[in-house]
Amino acid sequence: MVPAAPLQQQFPALKSRFPNTPNFEIGWGDKGFYQASDITAGIVLKAVFGLSGSIMHIFAVPNTPRAYFPENQMKQLCLSNTQLEQLNSAIIDSMALSASHDVQALGKGLYGDSEFFAAQGAYHVLNTCNTWTAQRLKRAGFAIQPRFKLSASSVMDAIADLPEHCTSE
């Protein structure tokens, strides 16, 4: 989850689409797999070999993340202003922007108030959504090695020792 305001300030379409949310949950993945209602062997093979392109999923979290996703494993990371800027920059680098430098909506998202958006990057078996997440964290200044972060648990294990309580800078 990231604060919505910085991305909404940069992209009017996000502010218009999600006007009152404090946080975004952002995911990146294989375009065919992420949007599929029925997962077939063909869809999986296209994802494994990077044949479908990529897509971003943005969900407007209406309240605190832990309240909305009570069953999910989460870890709060404390970011300085510089780290948040670096994280947002890394997220933006994955967006496929329009000629007017705005996000490009591609359709209703998976759940709640969410939407799919055009993205850049090649999803494949060695560059998964979890690798993408680890790459963003590394660009934000966290000591994480993105290579072989193929599962959510591998990312969570890599950040397990980071403090959860923020201290003022």
Side-chain angles (χ1 to χ4, degrees), residues 3-167:
L7 293 171
Q8 289 172 321
Q9 288 170 1
Q10 182 147 0
F11 301 112
L14 286 180
K15 179 66 175 171
S16 175
R17 173 63 182 81
F18 304 110
N20 299 311
T21 186
N23 298 299
F24 285 143
E25 174 204 48
I26 300 177
W28 174 92
D30 178 78
K31 187 174 183 179
F33 188 90
Y34 218 154
Q35 295 182 96
S37 57
D38 185 32
I39 305 300
T40 65
I43 289 172
V44 171
L45 287 173
K46 285 181 179 179
V48 166
F49 293 110
L51 302 175
S52 301
S54 59
I55 197 164
M56 293 188 87
H57 184 257
I58 298 180
F59 168 63
V61 181
N63 50 20
T64 60
R66 288 189 197 277
Y68 198 82
F69 296 107
E71 303 299 318
N72 291 27
Q73 183 182 10
M74 290 185 210
K75 180 162 180 84
Q76 178 179 345
L77 298 178
C78 300
L79 281 71
S80 68
N81 289 334
T82 299
Q83 286 176 307
L84 181 57
E85 288 171 10
Q86 291 168 328
L87 178 60
N88 285 333
S89 177
I91 291 168
I92 291 166
D93 286 348
S94 293
M95 295 175 167
L97 302 179
S98 68
S100 62
H101 303 286
D102 208 343
V103 295
Q104 301 177 78
L106 297 178
K108 178 145 179 54
L110 296 174
Y111 44 82
D113 188 10
S114 65
E115 187 93 19
F116 284 109
F117 292 89
Q120 300 185 93
Y123 181 99
H124 52 79
V125 70
L126 295 177
N127 191 41
T128 68
C129 53
N130 300 298
T131 310
W132 180 86
T133 299
Q135 290 166 346
R136 271 48 285 123
L137 292 172
K138 183 176 177 90
R139 289 220 7 222
F142 290 98
I144 185 171
Q145 294 304 316
R147 180 171 271 173
F148 300 119
K149 297 298 180 277
L150 305 178
S151 67
S153 62
S154 67
V155 175
M156 295 303 286
D157 290 347
I159 63 171
D161 293 332
L162 296 176
E164 276 210 34
H165 298 289
C166 299
T167 58

